[in-house]
Amino acid sequence: MRESFRWFGPPDRITLPEIVQTGATGIVTALHEIPYGVVWTKEAIAERQALVREASGERLEWTVVESLPVHEAIKLASGGGDELETLYENYRISLKNLAACGISTVCYNFMPLLDWTRTELAHPLAGGGTSLRFNMQDFAAFDVYMLERPGAEADFSADVLQRAKAWIDASRPEDRERLLAAIMAGLPGAYERYDVPGLRAVLARYEGITKDDIRANYKRFLEAVVPTAEEAGVRLCVHPDDPPRPVFGLPRVVSNEDDIAFILDAVPSLANGLTLCSGSLGAGPANDVVAIARRFAEKIHFAHLRNVAKDADGSFEEANHLDGDTDMVALLRVLLGEERRRRAEGRADFEMPMRPDHGHELLADLGRGTHPGYPLIGRMRGLAELRGAIRAIETLDRAA
């Protein structure tokens, strides 16, 4: 597997020379400064490629785009046919420009509004350090009592609602501000923030939109861009919802095995694939991540490897990469087996890029102010654990 590391571009507090020291050789990044729906030019792509090479002493290569964003108007199918066609065309041009620059793996998501959702960005760990965490009672407190979303109570159990009420009654203004900030960190690119009235306003745009509506809009998007990706040799790979459940009443359409099957069947093509995120899918109690990987192995073009530990009420916490509720060794066996199959087919692109996803803040990570979930040492630890597991699997398989 191609060991990769996510980098958020020049503003990232983690530097490319530091990433070199992790042992990764691939960089996963995006042109985050370009507004959604605007074409990524060949010049801008090449400039970022050159920066990655030069700053890393030619030891790193930009190999995966994460993400080429899908404009909210596409998810909503709003703005009229002309605006949508312009957005589709801009996306197609960006795909062709990436391919022309030699980048062929493009991760994206179709999550309405929020890319991911957590309620704690620095949950203290027993042995020291911090992790990301999603507390169901805190989320319910925000949704029901701070956001005051109509009908929100129906999305939570009586026990969760009781604990949410106790939390809101005991909370101080700074507790509520901290909760708002944690939830806002999941907005695309983590660069935009709303206060509570602002969040209500943007959520209103989705009023009356159902899961079937989002699916139909998604299928229209795939029909518009997958043929171009196929022609250009680009592998599109959708990232699952995080968490894999409706959030603030927003429909989610990439949450489970049935959703993935719908997407991949909507426009059958090797260019229409999956980013296997073991943490996002693993947060769903009904999801068997290993079985999902086995079923869709041929269409997995990129892997985010992380683990979560779930609670009975739907809460979950980022675990160590080899711990948590997903059998990471079994999952790696599936992915490595798919690589062997592709190599046997004679495919030049048999090697699957992967990156250690998220990580605990440890040691010098603490207080550094890196992107939530993306510290240096915690991810390097995860990469080292994954590297060791992969080496052990490969050694055992050769001896068998």
Side-chain angles (χ1 to χ4, degrees):
M1 302 185 81
R2 178 73 182 270
E3 294 182 3
S4 306
F5 221 76
R6 190 171 190 183
W7 180 62
F8 287 91
D12 200 327
R13 297 194 178 190
I14 294 171
T15 68
L16 291 165
E18 287 176 314
I19 293 174
V20 168
Q21 295 181 54
T22 71
T25 58
I27 283 294
V28 177
T29 192
L31 302 180
H32 295 291
E33 68 276 12
I34 295 180
Y36 286 19
V38 176
V39 168
W40 289 17
T41 66
K42 292 179 187 177
E43 293 75 17
I45 296 165
E47 181 180 348
R48 187 58 50 86
Q49 286 178 302
L51 173 61
V52 169
R53 294 187 187 114
E54 292 166 10
S56 67
E58 305 293 331
R59 291 179 174 86
L60 297 172
E61 186 76 21
W62 183 8
T63 52
V64 179
V65 171
E66 187 179 344
S67 299
L68 182 59
V70 178
H71 197 281
E72 287 296 308
I74 291 175
K75 299 172 188 177
L76 282 164
S78 63
D82 289 344
E83 180 183 349
L84 283 176
E85 184 50 44
T86 297
L87 291 170
Y88 292 150
E89 180 60 13
N90 288 352
Y91 207 94
R92 290 189 289 257
I93 294 170
S94 295
L95 290 175
K96 289 187 282 190
N97 289 344
L98 286 163
C101 292
I103 302 175
S104 59
T105 304
V106 177
C107 173
Y108 70 100
N109 75 69
F110 216 80
M111 287 180 264
L113 191 60
L114 292 163
D115 275 6
W116 53 272
T117 306
R118 298 292 187 274
T119 60
E120 285 187 84
L121 302 181
H123 178 73
L125 298 171
T130 68
S131 72
L132 299 179
R133 181 171 171 82
F134 179 89
N135 286 314
M136 188 61 76
Q137 69 181 36
D138 297 0
F139 184 73
F142 183 88
D143 198 7
V144 175
Y145 298 108
M146 291 175 60
L147 189 62
E148 298 179 326
R149 180 174 63 89
E153 294 88 345
D155 290 348
F156 304 99
S157 69
D159 174 64
V160 166
L161 287 172
Q162 183 178 14
R163 286 187 282 122
K165 184 64 165 61
W167 186 94
I168 204 73
D169 287 345
S171 67
R172 300 164 299 174
E174 54 265 37
D175 297 325
R176 295 189 288 274
E177 284 298 319
R178 186 162 46 249
L179 178 57
L180 172 64
I183 291 170
M184 288 301 97
L187 282 162
Y191 299 136
E192 190 175 11
R193 299 289 188 271
Y194 297 112
D195 57 13
V196 168
L199 182 57
R200 287 194 195 108
V202 295
L203 286 171
R205 296 166 57 194
Y206 280 90
E207 188 173 349
I209 300 291
T210 66
K211 179 172 182 173
D212 286 342
D213 294 329
I214 299 291
R215 273 190 167 186
N217 298 341
Y218 191 2
K219 185 173 188 291
R220 192 175 302 120
F221 166 73
L222 292 172
E223 290 169 342
V225 304
V226 168
T228 297
E230 188 175 274
E231 182 180 348
V234 168
R235 303 288 195 245
L236 287 166
C237 38
V238 65
H239 187 286
D241 303 326
D242 185 11
R245 51 159 288 157
V247 174
F248 301 136
L250 296 170
R252 298 289 191 128
V253 296
V254 198
S255 289
N256 53 45
E257 187 171 347
D258 289 343
D259 288 340
I260 295 167
F262 172 86
I263 292 159
L264 300 184
D265 290 343
V267 180
S269 169
L270 198 59
N272 178 25
L274 174 67
T275 295
L276 194 284
C277 182
S278 55
S280 296
L281 290 169
N287 287 338
D288 183 333
V289 180
V290 177
I292 289 172
R294 190 177 296 115
R295 176 176 175 183
F296 302 113
E298 182 183 8
K299 294 291 191 71
I300 297 173
H301 301 319
F302 180 34
H304 289 181
L305 299 178
R306 64 181 173 92
N307 227 320
V308 298
K310 298 185 291 294
D311 297 338
D313 67 356
S315 303
F316 60 89
E317 182 176 325
E318 305 283 354
N320 290 322
H321 285 70
L322 299 186
D323 298 328
D325 296 336
T326 293
D327 185 339
M328 188 61 70
V329 172
L331 178 60
L332 288 169
R333 280 193 177 279
V334 172
L335 300 179
L336 292 168
E338 174 59 18
E339 280 194 331
R340 287 195 296 271
R341 187 194 68 79
R342 295 176 188 182
R343 182 184 291 183
E345 279 188 350
R347 281 178 50 178
D349 64 342
F350 71 88
E351 191 175 39
M352 189 182 300
M354 70 83 162
R355 66 172 179 83
D357 195 16
H358 297 178
H360 295 162
E361 283 195 330
L362 305 169
L363 304 171
D365 285 334
L366 292 164
R368 188 170 179 182
T370 55
H371 282 74
Y374 291 93
L376 176 63
I377 297 170
R379 284 187 293 158
M380 183 171 67
R381 173 184 172 176
L383 180 59
E385 292 176 346
L386 294 166
R387 182 185 296 140
I390 290 169
R391 184 69 59 87
I393 292 167
E394 291 175 334
T395 300
L396 290 171
D397 287 350
R398 282 195 298 269

